[in-house]
Amino acid sequence: MKIIHCADLHLDSRMTANLSKEQARERKKEIIRTFTRMVEYAASNQVRVILIAGDLFDTRNVSAMARNTVRDMISTHPEIDFLYLRGNHDNDNFLSKMEELPENLLLFDEKWKAYRYGSIVISGVELSAANRATVYNSLVLNHDDYNIVTMHGQTANYRSKEQAENISLNDLCNKNIDYLALGHVHGYVQNKLDNRGVFCYAGCLEGRGFDECGPKGFVLLDVDEKSHSAVTSFVPIASRTLYTLEVDVSGAMTTSDAAARIEKAIAEQSYPSGSMVKFVLTGDVEVDAEFNTDYLQDLFSDYFYFEKVYDKTKLRIDYSDYEKDASLKGEFIRMVLGSDMSEEQKTEVIRCGILALSGEEI
């Protein structure tokens, strides 16, 4: 039996942090389309269950398009059960707007609920302040079943008395769990839970910001009902991938120098043209080095769907070089170096000061 484990779809996310209004609208549609492609994949590969481990939507106000698309994809695929566990971003708006829930949309709540498919049992619970004291002791699973358990939250090695969204791995050990399907972490992670089972974050279907770089998709479980063994595989499905590319510009002095380094770094990678890339300039540079990140961003704007350039270089400053410098620049640098600011703050203040003294826009 085949099962898809997905989570953190965040449909209807605003997407306005980095993108233009047109790009944000396009990305919202792309994320919804990725959900439909996942369902189409399930239908063409005889997947019996799509398990959504939280955060199907991003905000309380779900658009009609997102709501109707999800409802229609569920109702037009009656051969697939959609098991939906709500996460910290989800609420009842999606469900309450439906006059009648599709028969194949199955829900979890704040008490353990289980759905059986022969000897495969999928159990889940939505964490809350009300159940955090009893949720682990109340989980009872049959040793002879293949047990999938789903929750949404951050794993920890202990039971939190304050944070209901914390999931205590220690309290889930030796509970006859074969596969712990989790949501909340936006990257794919799979590790051993105990001698019997594993825990897994499927990650999100689409990266939305540069804290969500790399391949995104879902996990496919193929469970042998007789042997109770399972093959799990991560299936990338995102329409676009986000990357962070560090570019060492040590010794470079001008924006043109930095551009040449970026060009070389791009040539060494194989990022598709539809990617979203953050360039991070690194290395040690001279005080007089000049890098215009806005110009660099515009210069490479035709290479990918979206680019961003950050200057994270460190200034190579020898205090003795300015100890007797009678210029305004020397006085400024001595004053900053003698302050109680952190090294990072000193670097940024000196960088801005040198630009100002040179008549550049900061």
Side-chain angles (χ1 to χ4, degrees), residues 17-308:
N18 294 304
L19 305 178
S20 67
K21 288 183 179 180
E22 288 185 5
Q23 287 176 319
R25 283 194 292 267
E26 186 175 18
R27 286 294 289 149
K28 285 181 71 171
K29 293 175 184 176
E30 286 178 349
I31 291 175
I32 294 172
R33 175 60 184 143
T34 299
F35 169 76
T36 68
R37 286 192 290 113
M38 180 185 68
V39 177
E40 291 163 357
Y41 174 97
S44 62
N45 287 276
Q46 294 78 51
V47 170
R48 181 66 182 88
V49 171
I50 294 180
L51 174 59
I52 304 170
D55 287 353
L56 174 59
F57 297 100
D58 190 63
T59 62
R60 180 177 181 83
N61 299 316
V62 180
S63 70
M65 184 184 76
R67 183 174 63 248
N68 292 338
T69 299
V70 172
R71 180 200 61 204
D72 293 346
M73 291 304 292
I74 294 173
S75 60
T76 57
H77 291 85
E79 75 282 8
I80 302 172
D81 281 353
F82 291 76
L83 275 57
Y84 173 32
L85 179 138
R86 286 163 293 189
N88 56 295
H89 281 261
D90 291 315
N91 59 71
D92 289 330
N93 271 11
F94 165 62
L95 300 173
S96 64
K97 292 291 177 66
M98 292 190 192
E99 293 183 4
E100 186 176 349
L101 294 183
E103 290 185 2
N104 58 327
L105 175 58
L106 308 175
L107 307 176
F108 298 98
D109 53 38
E110 293 184 10
K111 291 185 178 180
W112 286 105
K113 185 176 287 188
Y115 298 97
R116 178 176 287 277
Y117 300 86
S119 61
I120 300 172
V121 178
I122 304 176
S123 305
V125 68
E126 295 172 357
L127 299 174
S128 69
N131 68 13
R132 65 188 174 202
T134 60
V135 68
Y136 300 101
N137 292 337
S138 58
L139 175 61
V140 179
L141 302 172
N142 189 327
H143 178 274
D144 297 327
D145 290 328
Y146 184 88
N147 294 301
I148 298 172
V149 172
T150 184
M151 304 171 80
H152 185 92
Q154 180 66 53
T155 58
N157 292 322
Y158 59 91
R159 189 185 309 191
S160 173
K161 295 181 179 179
E162 288 81 26
Q163 295 177 304
E165 66 274 14
N166 272 15
I167 297 172
S168 172
L169 293 180
N170 285 341
D171 287 306
L172 291 170
C173 290
N174 305 314
K175 289 279 192 178
N176 295 321
I177 297 173
D178 294 284
Y179 183 88
L180 178 59
L182 300 175
H184 188 60
V185 172
H186 291 183
Y188 169 66
V189 178
Q190 181 168 312
N191 280 309
K192 198 171 183 64
L193 175 65
D194 55 24
N195 290 331
R196 173 165 173 161
V198 299
F199 70 91
C200 180
Y201 283 103
C204 49
L205 292 188
E206 289 271 356
R208 296 172 298 149
F210 288 107
D211 56 341
E212 297 174 356
C213 291
K216 301 298 175 187
F218 57 83
V219 176
L220 178 66
L221 290 84
D222 194 348
V223 183
D224 187 319
E225 295 182 60
K226 293 182 179 179
S227 65
H228 280 187
S229 61
V231 176
T232 64
S233 55
F234 176 75
V235 181
I237 197 174
S239 58
R240 301 185 192 277
T241 304
L242 289 88
Y243 300 95
T244 295
L245 180 58
E246 293 191 354
V247 181
D248 189 346
V249 294
S250 297
M253 290 298 295
T254 66
T255 299
S256 296
D257 293 340
R261 301 283 183 93
I262 293 175
E263 187 87 49
K264 181 182 178 183
I266 292 173
E268 293 172 350
Q269 304 299 326
S270 56
Y271 301 156
S273 60
S275 303
M276 303 168 69
V277 182
K278 178 174 72 173
F279 301 105
V280 180
L281 307 183
T282 64
D284 296 332
V285 299
E286 301 293 336
V287 171
D288 293 329
E290 165 270 317
F291 304 132
N292 189 313
T293 54
D294 289 337
Y295 178 83
L296 289 170
Q297 191 163 311
D298 290 339
L299 187 64
F300 293 97
S301 61
D302 294 333
Y303 282 60
F304 302 105
Y305 180 74
F306 177 82
E307 302 86 11
K308 200 161 192 172

Side-chain angles (χ1 to χ4, degrees), residues 5-22:
H5 164 212
C6 65
D8 301 288
L9 288 74
H10 290 279
L11 303 182
D12 252 14
S13 182
R14 295 180 64 186
M15 306 296 295
T16 55
N18 294 304
L19 305 178
S20 67
K21 288 183 179 180
E22 288 185 5

